[in-house]
Amino acid sequence: MGAGGSRRGILQLWGCTELLSPRGDTRCAPQLALLYEEVLYTILHRLGKPEPQHVGDCRELYCYVQKAFGMDPEEHSAIMQQVMELESPIYCLKATVKEAKGILGKDVSGLSDPYCLLGIEARSQEPAHPEHKKRMKAVVKDLIPEDQIHRTQVMNQTLSPVWNETFILEFKDVETASFHLDMWDSDVVESMRHKLGELTDLHGLKRIFKDARKDKGQDDFLGNVVVRLKDLHCWNDQWYQLEPRTETYPERGHCHLQFLLTHKKRATTSSRTQPSYTVHRHLLQQLVSHEILQHQAGSTSWDGELSSHASTVLYLHATQKDLSDFHQDMAQWLAYSKLYQSLEFNSSCLLHQITSIEYRWVQERLRPEQKAELAESFQSLLTYGVSLIRRFRIIFPLSVPRSKDRLQSLLRVLVQMCKTKAFHELCTPSPDLTPLLQSGTAEWFHMQKQHLKPMVKSIEENSKALSKLLLEVIEDLKQCQKIWNKLFIMVLGSSLGGVGVRAGGVRVLCCCCAVGEASAFIPRDGPLALSNFHQWFEEALPLWLQKAYSTTLERAHRAIQMDQLKPYGYHKHSTSTVDLSTCYAQIVTTWQQLNWPDPEKAFMIMVNLLEDMCKISLMYCKLIKERAEALSLSEQNEGEAANKLCIVVNNIKQLRLLMLKLPEQLDWNQLEQRTRGIIDPQQIQNALHNQLDSTVACLDHEVRDVVQALATKVTTCPHLSIIPLMKFLESELQYLNEHLVQENFKSLERCFHAEGCGLPLETINSAAFQTLETHLALCSAPSRKLIQKYFSNRIQQQLDTSSEKYGAVTIKALYRPSEQKLRVEVLNATNLIPLDSNGSSDPFVQLTLEPRHEFPEVVARTTQCKKNELHPLFDEAFDFLIPAEKCRQEGACLLLTVFDYDVLGANDLEGEAFLPLCRLPGLEPEQDGAEPGRVPQTRLPLTHPKPTDEILRLLESRKGDKEAQAFVKLRKQRAKQSKETE
């Protein structure tokens, strides 16, 4: 397409065909010439370093816009000459001082009252105070005239001030200009009594003496930032380090600044006569039109991506005009939505703009003419889109590739648009889609009938034509059933922009209207698929639900009456729980087989099922406790009564596990997806999740009550030993979650230690009670406390170990409190076990600080690997930056793990050693400064982890604690490697 043809197509999109000359050129199109002037002016007065994805060569940009506007060389040269003669704009830096962090505290209180001075310095300017000319790092008030200095507010008593203040700074030459910001601590004259009242430490007293030596009211320097403007992009947002004037306090914190390079007083006609937003929209529409036409000329569809040249021009224009993100999105929406009605491209390009308009709608305010323009675009696109949907069989035929995707994209755009606040505020409700689809279906049917109407009106030809028409109608029915209906349901849901259009009705009206005149002639080749047959069974649903509930309740009653509260096989629960779980499994299977098609009705069925199962569960708890009490009275044996209460706890816990599995077994996720847009998510949360959580909480309460009764029975019966209770708790602890363990053990503690409990202390096995108390402390401890206890135990084992069965490792370790540094020298390892087939090993040592939650930022260190050695000499040193207080934590240690390097598989474990950090030489201040050569060598025998450990079992039972599970997994891996080497 030539320049004239391209420009003709673009002007037709703009509605500017009246500007065309009789010859078809556009020399008399003033709007296009003014817009071309605007874009040339933008490129000529470009500011800022190019972004990585943008075009940096201005000559390439000139060549691109000349093609995009269809300008011949003569027109381009003439307009370019006019632009160069125009007055240059005023260059501006829009600087926003957002916040700062980590600044110095200059006041007695240890805080500061910071404020900022900022301005732009040109190298040609002389300092305002000549006497400070020799200062290496001058400040704003020494370099910039006072009338060009801007000042932020003072933020009182803070080291992390937040300003969010914006200033417009003018400059002439970007090559020579620099931005300066100085941060100061405001010093207000205060009485000595007030300063002493704020005194908190010795540093504060030093500040008082320092203030006394300086002039009253003199502000303290906190730091400065200097940025050359030629190093800035058009838009910058980052943290800058505050630089000092002296080296006394090199670390002065950081300041968060945002910069935007803009223009003021642009000399182009468009900038002087039209709003920035309108000019940008015209420019955007011009460039996007060119991009679309270029793709169409190359026989490819446009996917919405602009070329780097177009993106660069639009970015420069938006930043120079200081156009907000909202107005840019709105301009894109207006341009794209108008172009979509004239040129062929993917409508998904509109989704981003309408989503951005919705997101920023509350934050922005539009003028009346802009609101009218936006409303008109909404109404125009809706009318055009609905007209396409009305004729979707013709516009989006399945024979054309991606037709279904194109219709789906259009539907999504229209739905999203009609849901926005902007649409509801600016536009009237959209028309009902149902009659439009009905009329479109009828038009399609009559068009097909007219197309197939025979030229010869004989009976034979009429019969053939009718047969073809019926086949096309049947094929359309199949397409509506398999493709179009699913698409409408998936995208539209239940309504389009708040207008009630039942998605299921789309398929019905498509079928009914298409069948309209031909239903009597459908051939009997085979049965048609049944639709909505599930509605035949809808009246029977309540009866079935009631029957399921009553039958399950009867079976639960019968199972409890037959239950002797004895363990069922190898399980810890009894037979009644097995029967109840079978009933629940049958309900789950029936729900899966039912697969009710109507999402709204399916949700109601699920709510009823859950309510019934929750009621049965709570009823079971009541009846099983009554059963245990009845059996205990008949036996008159307190020991057996305690055992039956143990079984009751196990039964309720098993029932609790069954209830927690229901969301997965009943597939609540799929149900929530099916009801999306039909059922409010909060209603789903209340009716399903909250109800289940409430029932589980009731079951937890029932467990606590039974354990409380069990503890009371033990303490009130002198002849009843504590041993059965302890054994029960030992076997059941991993069954209970952490919360229940803590609550139950608190109840037991109150029973054991209460005055006058009736249990003579001499009857209690002290060793057993001590074991129970220890177990109580472990089970009620947080996971991190257990991990610390684990390493404390391993350290004690290390100290008690003298055997070098697996070899030993020799190190030197020294801690320097002044540097907060731990230095470890790995000297050698001796008597290692040969793990390779050649009778040797390839050892290396891994050094980690444990527990990991105490040293999360300290990475593991590793020595070099020594090939074919059983007595390797490493002689390597490592430094770890850790505070002294961390070394004194319980279980804090240096873990040295010796591995045998394996090329193909996992490294084998030679052994591990633990060095307690609390015993490090130099940890105490009086030991600091010891020479490394004087640090004694420490020989640590290597040990292997035990395959079983009580703490690891407790941590493994806490399934919901990811940190505990990760720790257990690592230690199990070590134990497995150890087992393989023994």
Side-chain angles (χ1 to χ4, degrees):
M1 182 181 293
S6 173
R7 196 182 312 177
R8 172 186 290 274
I10 294 170
L11 288 173
Q12 286 174 344
L13 292 175
W14 279 26
C16 298
T17 52
E18 69 278 2
L19 300 179
L20 291 169
S21 67
R23 297 176 298 156
D25 59 28
T26 54
R27 297 179 186 275
C28 56
Q31 291 185 359
L32 199 64
L34 293 179
L35 189 60
Y36 194 63
E37 176 191 65
E38 177 77 13
V39 72
L40 293 181
Y41 190 87
T42 299
I43 300 173
L44 179 64
H45 297 287
R46 179 177 189 170
L47 290 174
K49 290 185 356 182
E51 299 289 342
Q53 70 274 19
H54 288 168
V55 177
D57 190 349
C58 291
R59 291 174 297 180
E60 290 188 32
L61 297 180
Y62 287 134
C63 182
Y64 170 78
V65 297
Q66 183 178 348
K67 294 178 181 178
F69 280 76
M71 294 289 178
D72 57 39
E74 294 180 3
E75 292 175 313
H76 171 76
S77 299
I79 299 177
M80 187 67 192
Q81 184 62 35
Q82 296 174 8
V83 170
M84 297 180 69
E85 293 175 357
L86 294 175
E87 185 178 356
S88 299
I90 298 176
Y91 298 145
C92 298
L93 176 67
K94 186 177 181 180
T96 301
V97 184
K98 306 191 82 167
E99 58 183 320
K101 61 182 179 180
I103 66 175
L104 296 180
K106 289 289 188 177
D107 294 343
V108 176
S109 61
L111 303 174
S112 291
D113 304 317
Y115 69 92
C116 299
L117 298 178
L118 56 149
I120 290 184
E121 175 224 357
R123 293 182 183 177
S124 59
Q125 288 181 314
E126 292 294 330
H129 300 282
E131 62 271 18
H132 297 294
K133 193 171 184 178
K134 296 182 180 180
R135 181 177 294 169
M136 293 300 295
K137 289 191 176 181
V139 294
V140 169
K141 52 189 174 183
D142 295 329
L143 290 175
I144 301 172
E146 185 175 355
D147 60 342
Q148 298 179 20
I149 296 177
H150 300 264
R151 176 182 177 127
T152 67
Q153 295 182 358
V154 177
M155 297 291 130
N156 294 320
Q157 294 297 286
T158 179
L159 299 181
S160 301
V162 177
W163 288 286
N164 283 326
E165 295 185 44
T166 301
F167 305 91
I168 305 296
L169 312 177
E170 299 181 1
F171 62 95
K172 293 184 179 179
D173 187 1
V174 71
E175 291 294 328
T176 62
S178 296
F179 170 82
H180 288 257
L181 177 141
D182 293 343
M183 192 177 298
W184 295 86
D185 170 42
S186 178
D187 188 19
V188 179
V189 178
E190 298 176 341
S191 65
M192 184 60 67
R193 177 179 298 178
H194 184 270
K195 291 184 178 181
L196 290 174
E198 294 182 348
L199 188 62
T200 58
D201 53 17
L202 183 59
H203 294 289
L205 188 59
K206 291 180 180 179
R207 293 190 187 97
I208 291 180
F209 290 128
K210 182 178 178 180
D211 290 344
R213 292 195 301 268
K214 72 178 184 179
D215 297 335
K216 293 183 178 180
Q218 180 180 348
D219 295 345
D220 291 311
F221 180 74
L222 297 177
N224 69 346
V225 175
V226 180
V227 181
R228 295 187 303 177
L229 298 192
K230 67 179 182 180
D231 295 334
L232 293 176
H233 294 282
C234 290
W235 185 86
N236 282 75
D237 189 331
Q238 68 182 76
W239 287 87
Y240 293 89
Q241 184 174 352
L242 290 169
E243 300 292 342
R245 281 189 296 176
T246 64
E247 299 301 325
T248 306
Y249 298 103
E251 296 296 331
R252 291 175 173 262
H254 296 77
C255 185
H256 188 186
L257 300 174
Q258 180 177 296
F259 297 115
L260 178 67
L261 294 169
T262 67
H263 287 173
K264 283 173 61 175
K265 296 184 178 180
R266 291 165 62 96
T268 61
T269 304
S270 297
S271 295
R272 288 186 285 105
T273 59
Q274 298 182 46
S276 300
Y277 152 78
T278 303
V279 178
H280 186 76
R281 179 171 63 82
H282 289 163
L283 176 59
L284 173 68
Q285 188 165 314
Q286 178 73 26
L287 298 184
V288 172
S289 303
H290 172 71
E291 297 279 321
I292 296 173
L293 293 174
Q294 288 296 109
H295 280 78
Q296 289 181 348
S299 300
T300 59
S301 60
W302 186 61
D303 58 1
E305 284 291 328
L306 292 173
S307 65
S308 58
H309 295 80
S311 299
T312 304
V313 173
L314 292 170
Y315 178 76
L316 291 176
H317 188 262
T319 53
Q320 291 176 13
K321 305 276 280 187
D322 192 11
L323 205 61
S324 68
D325 292 338
F326 174 77
H327 284 92
Q328 291 184 55
D329 290 330
M330 185 173 164
Q332 291 179 12
W333 165 260
L334 293 174
Y336 281 40
S337 63
K338 186 171 184 178
L339 289 172
Y340 179 74
Q341 301 174 46
S342 304
L343 298 176
E344 177 68 23
F345 64 90
N346 194 340
S347 59
S348 61
C349 305
L350 299 168
L351 272 178
H352 173 71
Q353 283 78 35
I354 194 62
T355 304
S356 298
I357 290 174
E358 171 69 2
Y359 175 72
R360 298 187 173 97
W361 180 252
V362 179
Q363 306 174 17
E364 297 287 344
R365 293 293 181 266
L366 298 178
R367 295 190 298 272
E369 60 273 15
Q370 293 177 329
K371 290 183 178 180
E373 194 174 32
L374 184 59
E376 192 278 331
S377 73
F378 286 157
Q379 203 63 49
S380 176
L381 182 65
L382 180 61
T383 302
Y384 179 73
V386 169
S387 70
L388 297 183
I389 296 173
R390 178 172 170 269
R391 298 176 295 147
F392 70 91
R393 294 177 177 85
I394 302 171
I395 304 299
F396 305 101
L398 292 177
S399 58
V400 177
R402 298 185 59 82
S403 288
K404 178 184 173 183
D405 295 337
R406 289 166 52 219
L407 177 57
Q408 180 177 346
S409 174
L410 173 61
L411 289 172
R412 289 188 182 278
V413 170
L414 295 180
V415 169
Q416 187 68 26
M417 180 186 73
C418 293
K419 285 182 178 180
T420 60
K421 304 184 193 74
F423 183 89
H424 284 283
E425 292 181 16
L426 303 178
C427 301
T428 57
S430 55
D432 191 350
L433 189 61
T434 303
L436 296 173
L437 288 172
Q438 287 177 336
S439 62
T441 302
E443 286 181 8
W444 170 83
F445 177 77
H446 289 297
M447 184 184 68
Q448 296 300 101
K449 186 175 69 171
Q450 189 67 26
H451 175 71
L452 295 173
K453 189 175 182 179
M455 297 294 293
V456 179
K457 301 299 180 73
S458 64
I459 296 178
E460 182 180 359
E461 293 298 325
N462 282 335
S463 300
K464 291 180 179 179
L466 180 59
S467 176
K468 292 180 181 178
L469 178 61
L470 293 176
L471 290 176
E472 290 192 9
V473 169
I474 293 174
E475 182 63 26
D476 182 72
L477 286 172
K478 293 179 181 179
Q479 290 179 356
C480 288
Q481 178 72 19
K482 295 180 180 180
I483 300 175
W484 298 122
N485 181 49
K486 294 180 181 179
L487 178 62
F488 278 92
I489 291 177
M490 178 177 62
V491 178
L492 298 182
S494 61
S495 63
L496 173 60
V499 180
V501 178
R502 295 292 301 170
V506 174
R507 176 175 54 83
V508 176
L509 65 92
C510 289
C511 296
C512 293
C513 292
V515 170
E517 299 183 26
S519 58
F521 302 98
I522 295 179
R524 302 291 181 176
D525 294 339
L528 291 175
L530 293 177
S531 300
N532 300 326
F533 66 91
H534 62 279
Q535 295 177 357
W536 304 343
F537 305 92
E538 191 165 355
E539 293 182 4
L541 271 177
L543 299 176
W544 175 83
L545 293 174
Q546 181 60 36
K547 181 64 177 178
Y549 171 72
S550 58
T551 301
T552 305
L553 194 58
E554 290 175 5
R555 291 186 61 178
H557 274 278
R558 191 161 54 250
I560 292 172
Q561 291 173 1
M562 299 175 61
D563 197 343
Q564 297 301 314
L565 290 179
K566 294 181 179 180
Y568 172 69
Y570 296 101
H571 301 284
K572 300 175 183 179
H573 47 80
S574 61
T575 56
S576 61
T577 308
V578 178
D579 290 342
L580 188 59
S581 64
T582 303
C583 294
Y584 283 4
Q586 291 175 350
I587 294 176
V588 171
T589 302
T590 304
W591 162 259
Q592 294 171 348
Q593 294 175 346
L594 184 62
N595 193 21
W596 195 262
D598 181 11
E600 190 171 5
K601 188 65 177 180
F603 172 72
M604 299 306 300
I605 296 173
M606 176 60 68
V607 172
N608 290 337
L609 286 177
L610 182 62
E611 288 178 353
D612 292 344
M613 297 169 82
C614 290
K615 286 191 292 186
I616 293 172
S617 298
L618 298 179
M619 181 66 69
Y620 174 85
C621 294
K622 177 184 176 182
L623 296 177
I624 198 66
K625 288 193 296 183
E626 293 176 353
R627 178 63 176 169
E629 185 177 355
L631 291 176
S632 299
L633 291 175
S634 62
E635 292 181 357
Q636 298 295 326
N637 186 320
E638 297 295 339
E640 286 297 323
N643 289 336
K644 294 188 184 306
L645 288 179
C646 295
I647 298 297
V648 170
V649 172
N650 292 339
N651 284 0
I652 299 177
K653 291 303 298 179
Q654 181 65 17
L655 179 58
R656 182 179 184 276
L657 293 177
L658 291 175
M659 297 298 294
L660 290 176
K661 292 179 181 178
L662 288 180
E664 180 181 357
Q665 294 176 343
L666 297 174
D667 203 353
W668 284 4
N669 289 334
Q670 183 188 19
L671 181 63
E672 291 177 11
Q673 293 177 0
R674 291 177 58 196
T675 57
R676 186 171 299 167
I678 301 175
I679 306 295
D680 185 26
Q682 187 60 43
Q683 184 179 356
I684 296 176
Q685 179 68 29
N686 294 334
L688 297 181
H689 297 279
N690 291 354
Q691 184 177 192
L692 179 61
D693 294 342
S694 177
T695 302
V696 171
C698 291
L699 296 178
D700 292 340
H701 181 73
E702 295 287 351
V703 171
R704 285 194 292 271
D705 285 349
V706 177
V707 175
Q708 177 70 45
L710 183 62
T712 303
K713 186 176 290 295
V714 172
T715 57
T716 55
C717 300
H719 62 279
L720 187 60
S721 174
I722 195 175
I723 299 302
L725 173 62
M726 191 186 74
K727 288 183 177 179
F728 162 71
L729 293 174
E730 285 281 356
S731 63
E732 296 305 315
L733 277 174
Q734 55 266 39
Y735 232 164
L736 306 176
N737 61 43
E738 185 176 342
H739 173 71
L740 289 176
V741 168
Q742 295 178 14
E743 293 297 323
N744 295 332
F745 275 141
K746 288 177 183 178
S747 300
L748 290 175
E749 277 193 306
R750 287 194 293 270
C751 294
F752 287 137
H753 297 292
E755 295 182 1
C757 64
L759 180 62
L761 295 178
E762 59 269 20
T763 64
I764 300 179
N765 186 324
S766 59
F769 187 77
Q770 185 177 3
T771 302
L772 180 61
E773 289 282 323
T774 303
H775 210 48
L776 164 65
L778 288 177
C779 292
S780 60
S783 296
R784 290 191 171 184
K785 191 69 176 179
L786 289 179
I787 294 174
Q788 290 177 323
K789 182 65 177 176
Y790 173 84
F791 283 108
S792 295
N793 294 345
R794 294 308 306 272
I795 290 172
Q796 188 60 46
Q797 294 170 11
Q798 179 76 58
L799 296 176
D800 296 340
T801 300
S802 58
S803 171
E804 296 186 1
K805 175 182 177 181
Y806 303 107
V809 60
T810 304
I811 66 170
K812 287 183 179 181
L814 174 67
Y815 185 78
R816 295 185 180 275
S818 59
E819 303 176 14
Q820 293 192 336
K821 179 187 295 184
L822 167 62
R823 185 174 183 82
V824 181
E825 295 182 41
V826 183
L827 301 179
N828 58 57
T830 56
N831 301 323
L832 298 180
I833 299 175
L835 297 178
D836 293 343
S837 58
N838 60 3
S840 184
S841 291
D842 304 322
F844 67 92
V845 183
Q846 182 186 78
L847 297 85
T848 56
L849 294 180
E850 300 290 348
R852 294 305 302 158
H853 64 262
E854 293 290 348
F855 307 97
E857 298 180 357
V858 182
V859 298
R861 313 293 290 277
T862 305
T863 66
Q864 295 182 358
C865 181
K866 302 297 181 180
K867 298 290 185 180
N868 299 323
E869 284 283 354
L870 296 179
H871 306 277
L873 178 65
F874 296 104
D875 198 17
E876 297 183 42
F878 304 93
D879 291 331
F880 298 90
L881 295 176
I882 53 175
E885 59 269 15
K886 290 288 186 180
C887 298
R888 301 185 180 94
Q889 296 284 348
E890 179 186 2
C893 63
L894 172 67
L895 172 58
L896 300 107
T897 310
V898 183
F899 291 100
D900 169 42
Y901 178 74
D902 194 336
V903 177
L904 298 179
N907 298 325
D908 298 320
L909 178 70
E910 290 279 4
E912 55 187 12
F914 299 82
L915 178 69
L917 298 183
C918 62
R919 300 190 179 187
L920 285 173
L923 181 61
E924 301 305 324
E926 59 271 11
Q927 297 176 341
D928 188 24
E931 293 296 328
R934 299 181 182 178
V935 178
Q937 297 183 1
T938 302
R939 185 178 179 86
L940 299 172
L942 296 177
T943 62
H944 279 204
K946 296 181 179 180
T948 58
D949 186 277
E950 180 183 14
I951 293 178
L952 294 181
R953 288 200 304 270
L954 287 175
L955 290 172
E956 187 177 12
S957 68
R958 301 177 179 183
K959 301 298 184 182
D961 191 332
K962 294 183 180 180
E963 186 175 15
Q965 296 303 309
F967 179 77
V968 172
K969 181 179 180 181
L970 178 61
R971 298 317 301 170
K972 276 191 170 183
Q973 181 182 0
R974 293 285 185 270
K976 182 180 179 181
Q977 293 172 322
S978 171
K979 185 177 181 181
E980 291 174 352
T981 58
E982 292 184 1

